[in-house]
Amino acid sequence: MDKPKDRPTDKRIETTAFAPEAGGGHLELLAPAGSWEAFKAAVENGADAVYLGGKSFNARAGAANFGPEELRSAVQYAHERRVKVYVTVNILVADREFPELIEYLYALYSIGADAVILQDPGVAWLMRHIMPEMEIHASTQMTVNTHWGVRRLESMGFARAVLARELSAREMAEICAATPLAIEVFVHGALCICYSGQCLMSSFIGGRSGNRGTCAQPCRLSYTLVDRAGQDVLAGANLGDHLLSPRDLNLAEELGQLRTIGVDSLKIEGRMKRPEYVATVTRIYRRALRRLERVESERVEGSGDSGLLEPEERRELTQIFNRDFTQAYFLSHPGAELMSYKRPNNRGTRLGRVKSSGKGRLFLKLESELNQGDGVEIWTGQGHEGLSVTGLRVAGHSVSRAQAGDVVELEFNGRSSPGDRVFKTHDAVLMEKARRSFQEGKEERRYPLTLTVRGKAGVKLELEASGLGRRLVVHSGGLLENARQRPLTVDYLRRQLGRLGTTPFFLETLQVDLEGDVILPVSELNELRRSAVAGLLAGEESGTLRLTPDAYLRRVEKWTQRLRAGRRAVPGTGVRLVSVAVADSEGLEGALEAGAGRILLGGERWRSQKGFSPEEVRRAVERCHKLGVESVWRLPRILNEGQSADWLKILKQAALWEIRPVLMVANLGELEMVKTLDPDWPLEADYALNVFNGAGIDYFLREEVRVITLSPELHHEQIGRLAGGSHLEMLVFGDLEMMVSEYCPIGAALGGKKGETCTGPCRQGPYFLRDRLKYDFPLETDWDCRMHLFNVKILNLYGELGQIAAMGIKKIRLQLVRSDRERVRQVVSLFRAAWEKGDPEKQDAKDVEKNLQALAGLYPQGFTKGHFFRGIL
């Protein structure tokens, strides 16, 4: 501490300084928060931004989430520390929820939330009209994985795209180079095995929809890969039975490459994780980013090491939670290396092996440290045995900590054998370290504050404060007086003015410039300190709202009128049509034999079928035209960058065909690609676009999409509110695709050794995933080696056709992409007779029952009504 300097005027001047650790770079570190404790953990451990959800409208309904006042407090707390807050509104929203949503969005705007994260295209369309002042980010649930998709997001008003987690480094680089939008990617945490937003497995099986934030994670359950005869094709392989459970993502060592690629934000997954997890992972990634800054600086000078994590940080990152780690698709296609086949939950870290056990004791040779309170799991031949370390002994003596190399004695009443592996699944020391980082009253994320005190007897005390890039001056209410005793000293002022509590400041520098011995009541000093801090923090607030409540309501009313006008503009008439989706020429023949008037060609090409080549599509379109049959060419649900380039070439050729086909797009990237190629190309929207409300319908209609297939997750009452006109199509029969994934369990398990070309075992199918209840879910592999998982039961709303017709639906779809020629013919004939030729509202009950029995004979696996009656709300 510097001594006071003597000056002729008897002024006392002293400076003390404390330097915080420097921040790291321009890459935003974005951390999750599912609770207030997790939020503080993220902020206090170095997050640049935090994403969190309110009590409604977010894709993690199982988290504690934030009520209105908690949201306000979180935004204030974060902004005082120069941290941004992004609020998740990343679910599909029903029409009846829009009034509540509109109020909620303005509340988020009014408290100063920095952005909202959206999935629903209808909600994005709403925000573009009623609140362009609020920044919107496109959730990974929107399944954007190409530069075409990002360009579409630009046109929709998004400021940021959260890319799908299936992208490679090269694809990320291509996207970053092609857009001015900020690009956000996941770098750590749990992975979905399916493209997010495209997974309907939990929804169809149990009614808990991932698109509504209630996913039950059926991918983490046990499955068996079986063949047509029901035989386990992996019996004896010792692979494990969690065939859909991925490892956890970890790109901590790839941060330099992500920076080079041009990524803007690094996202940590984990809104369902405990705050200690958030604290640990955020802290380690923050340190890695700081180290990256130093490494890159050293490289400029010709030196530097590329390692970004210390060994202890790697251990902590593994210890806090892991299902084993993967880099996913960042560097290459991982195959089986993506998966955690043997267990779907935390593995912990290797602790040692059992030496012996019995009589309530376990002897364990340690490979790493063990402490009282740690959690231990023993991997026995019969399963996993867990215990909490309460009595820890070494060489007969009770200890609180044991080191690597020690043989420890633990209380244990389970069964184990010598040589069993033991893992530490809970590290008490690490958890306490994490908890201390966000303990109330001990916050460490603070900014330096410089205070200068000036004055003399007979004038007001002047306090100049500098912090957060701002400067202000405040004055005491009363006057300084000559001190008879206990004058204002440097130490006294430091104690009083340095009491900054939970504010985001620490007193770095104090300068005292007082003439003579003076005094001021302590209450005045405290008020000066509070005023100075409040004044500096006031600059962090948004100030006067640019959008007033009245102006907002006027915009809402204008948008509502626009939506109604759009609905009125849609033709309400039209004949009833049965659309038949087929995947190959055999299906096409069956549909034509049954007299189908509208056929949807293509989509995915299954390796179990020949499929349609572009030339075969051209001939099919010409044939349908001659027969007076309407035809539509369905594009695949997923295209990556390379496949999009291939399809662009195909479509350029198709544009020259004598009869140009109508195209049905299944994602935003395809929509943008076709619009760029020819803005007048007739388009339709497939169900994978998740159109769930009137706003979504309005968006696509205004993009001149002439027919929109509704989400299969809609309830009949929701459909009834949307129906009316010939612009909507509804799935009523056929295969329900539950999942599409870059991972193929058939190829990963049976396709050969790692690094070798897959031998294509999928061609020897069919294969099924059998669950614990002995249901066999069909698997298909497409020609791009993606897995498609189907519901074991077939959607069948034949008995509800009268109700559907009464709603005003004109087009119904039969999804017969996996049916043979004869089944296509019979199914189409039955539905056409009821829908097109007869009056579905007046069907005879006996005829309905007879036809349902006929359908049951064609599909003995059974039927489901999907969400027509149960819905997902």
Side-chain angles (χ1 to χ4, degrees):
M1 182 182 301
D2 295 337
K3 294 181 180 180
K5 296 182 179 180
D6 295 328
R7 299 182 63 179
T9 57
D10 196 28
K11 295 178 181 177
R12 291 186 292 274
I13 302 175
E14 182 168 345
T15 301
T16 57
F18 304 87
E21 190 173 356
H26 302 296
L27 283 171
E28 177 187 80
L29 181 59
L30 176 59
S35 67
W36 178 259
E37 290 76 17
F39 166 75
K40 285 197 65 179
V43 172
E44 294 301 327
N45 283 278
D48 297 304
V50 180
Y51 67 102
L52 49 82
K55 295 293 186 181
S56 303
F57 303 115
N58 88 89
R60 288 292 181 270
N65 294 313
F66 293 73
E69 287 308 312
E70 284 182 308
L71 279 173
R72 183 182 298 276
S73 298
V75 171
Q76 179 180 346
Y77 186 93
H79 285 183
E80 288 176 352
R81 289 154 180 80
R82 292 190 170 181
V83 174
K84 293 184 176 181
V85 175
Y86 308 142
V87 182
T88 55
V89 188
N90 55 342
I91 61 168
L92 301 180
V93 181
D95 281 275
R96 64 178 174 84
E97 297 175 303
F98 267 67
E100 179 187 352
L101 173 68
I102 287 167
E103 290 184 8
Y104 180 58
L105 291 173
Y106 189 78
L108 296 180
Y109 169 77
S110 66
I111 65 174
D114 295 282
V116 291
I117 306 170
L118 308 180
Q119 174 192 5
D120 193 318
V123 177
W125 188 234
L126 165 75
M127 295 236 9
R128 180 173 173 178
H129 289 87
I130 68 170
M131 195 183 289
E133 293 85 354
M134 175 74 84
E135 188 170 294
I136 58 175
H137 298 174
S139 169
T140 190
Q141 295 283 122
M142 295 192 85
T143 321
V144 171
N145 66 325
T146 66
H147 82 275
W148 294 108
V150 174
R151 282 177 55 176
R152 172 52 47 170
L153 294 178
E154 288 179 43
S155 72
M156 296 171 73
F158 284 94
R160 175 180 295 193
V162 186
L163 298 182
R165 284 170 268 200
E166 289 79 4
L167 273 70
S168 68
R170 180 177 178 178
E171 290 170 323
M172 290 180 192
E174 291 176 1
I175 291 172
C176 289
T179 179
L181 261 62
I183 297 298
E184 178 179 308
V185 299
F186 282 90
V187 293
H188 199 92
L191 289 168
C192 292
I193 192 62
C194 176
Y195 276 86
S196 297
Q198 300 299 312
C199 185
L200 300 174
M201 190 174 188
S202 174
S203 178
F204 286 157
I205 292 176
R208 294 176 56 183
S209 171
N211 286 322
R212 288 287 298 184
T214 58
C215 179
Q217 295 189 317
C219 54
R220 300 296 182 186
L221 301 178
S222 300
Y223 297 93
T224 305
L225 184 63
V226 300
D227 59 17
R228 187 196 303 269
Q231 298 299 308
D232 180 359
V233 298
L234 299 179
N238 195 32
L239 187 66
D241 55 2
H242 297 280
L243 299 181
L244 295 178
S245 179
R247 299 178 181 181
D248 282 357
L249 180 65
N250 182 348
L251 295 181
E253 298 284 10
E254 278 64 51
L255 301 185
Q257 189 171 354
L258 285 163
R259 183 200 292 279
T260 302
I261 284 170
V263 166
D264 298 281
S265 181
L266 310 175
K267 188 170 197 170
I268 298 168
E269 182 278 336
R271 283 197 290 140
M272 297 290 287
K273 295 288 201 310
R274 57 194 304 173
E276 293 86 352
Y277 171 89
V278 175
T280 301
V281 177
T282 304
R283 169 176 56 83
I284 291 171
Y285 270 82
R286 170 50 64 204
R287 288 185 176 180
L289 284 171
R290 288 171 180 154
R291 209 165 283 133
L292 175 63
E293 285 294 302
R294 293 196 292 269
V295 166
E296 292 187 345
S297 174
E298 290 168 0
R299 282 177 180 168
V300 173
E301 301 169 6
S303 63
D305 181 5
S306 61
L308 295 180
L309 297 185
E310 299 292 342
E312 178 61 13
E313 291 169 339
R314 292 191 185 93
R315 186 198 71 80
E316 289 181 347
L317 205 57
T318 304
Q319 181 66 69
I320 198 67
F321 192 95
N322 82 95
R323 299 179 179 93
D324 208 347
F325 286 128
T326 176
Q327 295 170 323
Y329 299 90
F330 189 71
L331 299 177
S332 63
H333 197 295
E337 298 300 310
L338 179 71
M339 306 306 292
S340 178
Y341 289 129
K342 291 190 180 295
R343 62 179 302 160
N345 50 11
N346 185 26
R347 289 170 175 258
T349 57
R350 177 73 174 260
L351 183 62
R353 286 186 181 271
V354 173
K355 285 184 67 68
S356 63
S357 65
K359 298 182 179 180
R361 314 302 295 172
L362 176 78
F363 291 88
L364 167 65
K365 178 68 176 289
L366 295 183
E367 297 175 12
S368 62
E369 183 181 285
L370 183 65
N371 293 276
Q372 288 276 9
D374 285 350
V376 170
E377 190 170 79
I378 306 160
W379 290 26
T380 73
Q382 291 76 41
H384 301 151
E385 292 271 2
L387 64 94
S388 180
V389 178
T390 54
L392 181 60
R393 299 172 68 85
V394 176
H397 300 286
S398 295
V399 297
S400 61
R401 174 180 300 178
Q403 305 295 330
D406 288 345
V407 175
V408 299
E409 179 184 349
L410 304 174
E411 297 176 3
F412 177 64
N413 294 311
R415 299 176 60 183
S416 69
S417 302
D420 283 345
R421 292 178 295 165
V422 183
F423 293 82
K424 185 195 294 187
T425 54
H426 177 87
D427 188 316
V429 172
L430 177 59
M431 295 295 280
E432 179 58 28
K433 176 182 177 180
R435 279 191 288 270
R436 284 198 304 270
S437 72
F438 58 89
Q439 186 174 345
E440 188 71 31
K442 296 187 177 181
E443 295 83 357
E444 296 185 5
R445 183 158 186 162
R446 298 172 187 262
Y447 294 90
L449 179 65
T450 296
L451 297 178
T452 301
V453 177
R454 301 186 184 94
K456 61 183 179 180
V459 300
K460 293 183 177 182
L461 181 68
E462 177 181 288
L463 178 63
E464 179 183 323
S466 299
L468 291 173
R470 300 180 182 86
R471 175 186 170 278
L472 59 83
V473 175
V474 294
H475 295 86
S476 61
L479 303 178
L480 286 164
E481 298 179 358
N482 287 314
R484 296 189 180 93
Q485 58 181 353
R486 296 182 182 178
L488 297 180
T489 64
V490 172
D491 288 341
Y492 178 75
L493 287 169
R494 184 183 299 109
R495 286 197 303 272
Q496 294 303 320
L497 298 177
R499 292 178 176 176
L500 295 165
T502 58
T503 72
F505 294 111
F506 70 94
L507 182 56
E508 180 184 59
T509 304
L510 174 63
Q511 294 181 334
V512 179
D513 192 357
L514 296 174
E515 295 185 17
D517 291 336
V518 293
I519 193 169
L520 191 73
V522 66
S523 59
E524 292 259 19
L525 288 175
N526 291 339
E527 183 59 31
L528 276 173
R529 183 191 64 238
R530 287 192 288 267
S531 297
V533 168
L536 292 175
L537 293 179
E540 295 296 315
E541 303 303 318
S542 58
T544 303
L545 295 176
R546 290 170 291 168
L547 178 59
T548 65
D550 287 343
Y552 181 67
L553 291 176
R554 287 194 296 270
R555 288 184 188 177
V556 170
E557 179 59 29
K558 184 176 180 180
W559 177 79
T560 303
Q561 293 173 357
R562 175 190 176 100
L563 202 62
R564 290 170 182 162
R567 289 199 67 174
R568 288 194 296 267
V570 175
T573 59
V575 297
R576 287 192 293 267
L577 273 176
V578 174
S579 299
V580 187
V582 296
D584 60 12
S585 58
E586 289 296 305
L588 172 63
E589 293 303 322
L592 291 175
E593 289 169 3
R598 176 174 153 87
I599 300 179
L600 314 180
L601 305 161
E604 277 68 29
R605 296 181 64 190
W606 312 123
R607 289 186 178 269
S608 62
Q609 299 171 324
K610 185 174 181 295
F612 287 107
S613 68
E615 176 59 23
E616 288 170 327
V617 170
R618 185 188 65 79
R619 293 199 296 265
V621 169
E622 290 182 352
R623 184 179 175 194
C624 288
H625 180 73
K626 291 178 180 177
L627 295 172
V629 174
E630 185 179 343
S631 63
V632 180
W633 189 5
R634 294 178 66 223
L635 303 189
R637 288 180 67 178
I638 301 292
L639 295 177
N640 62 26
E641 280 288 330
Q643 292 151 6
S644 295
D646 293 338
W647 270 93
L648 183 60
K649 294 175 184 176
I650 292 170
L651 294 176
K652 284 180 178 179
Q653 291 297 316
L656 303 176
W657 293 351
E658 183 177 350
I659 301 174
R660 178 185 292 194
V662 175
L663 297 177
M664 179 176 282
V665 297
N667 60 66
L668 293 174
E670 292 173 354
L671 174 63
E672 181 67 19
M673 182 170 63
V674 177
K675 284 286 187 181
T676 301
L677 184 59
D678 183 350
D680 296 322
W681 200 316
L683 285 176
E684 299 189 4
D686 214 339
Y687 67 89
L689 280 161
N690 289 323
V691 178
F692 200 73
N693 48 56
I697 293 171
D698 189 67
Y699 170 72
F700 286 107
L701 287 178
R702 293 182 187 276
E703 289 296 313
E704 298 182 344
V705 175
R706 67 177 204 174
V707 176
I708 299 161
T709 308
L710 294 172
S711 164
E713 294 190 282
L714 287 166
H715 184 270
H716 69 89
E717 291 179 354
Q718 294 172 267
I719 297 170
R721 284 191 285 267
L722 298 172
S726 58
H727 61 293
L728 297 180
E729 183 162 286
M730 175 183 168
L731 290 167
V732 299
F733 189 89
D735 282 304
L736 287 173
E737 188 170 332
M738 299 195 302
M739 182 181 290
V740 53
S741 176
E742 288 290 334
Y743 158 75
C744 174
I746 303 168
L750 302 173
K753 297 181 180 179
K754 178 183 176 182
E756 296 180 354
T757 302
C758 180
T759 58
C762 57
R763 292 190 290 267
Q764 303 167 18
Y767 292 96
F768 306 84
L769 282 180
R770 176 172 291 174
D771 71 1
R772 298 170 301 169
L773 300 177
K774 306 303 181 184
Y775 284 112
D776 291 348
F777 297 91
L779 288 173
E780 290 283 359
T781 306
D782 65 32
W783 280 92
D784 291 311
C785 293
R786 292 191 181 94
M787 173 199 73
H788 299 257
L789 180 66
F790 291 88
N791 197 356
V792 63
K793 295 186 177 182
I794 300 294
L795 175 67
N796 185 359
L797 295 177
Y798 182 87
E800 286 64 46
L801 290 182
Q803 186 176 351
I804 294 168
M807 294 174 182
I809 290 290
K810 301 297 182 183
K811 292 183 175 69
I812 59 172
R813 186 196 296 189
L814 313 178
Q815 191 75 2
L816 303 178
V817 294
R818 298 179 60 251
S819 295
D820 59 33
R821 178 174 179 170
E822 181 56 25
R823 285 196 296 181
V824 170
R825 186 189 67 78
Q826 292 192 46
V827 172
V828 174
S829 296
L830 284 173
F831 274 85
R832 284 195 66 233
W835 187 256
E836 295 179 354
K837 299 177 181 178
D839 186 344
E841 297 183 60
K842 297 180 180 179
Q843 282 194 94
D844 183 79
K846 292 183 179 179
D847 289 338
V848 171
E849 184 59 31
K850 180 186 69 173
N851 291 334
L852 285 172
Q853 290 179 6
L855 290 169
L858 296 172
Y859 297 91
Q861 62 267 53
F863 297 121
T864 175
K865 297 185 188 300
H867 285 294
F868 189 75
F869 290 113
R870 69 180 180 182
I872 59 172
L873 298 184

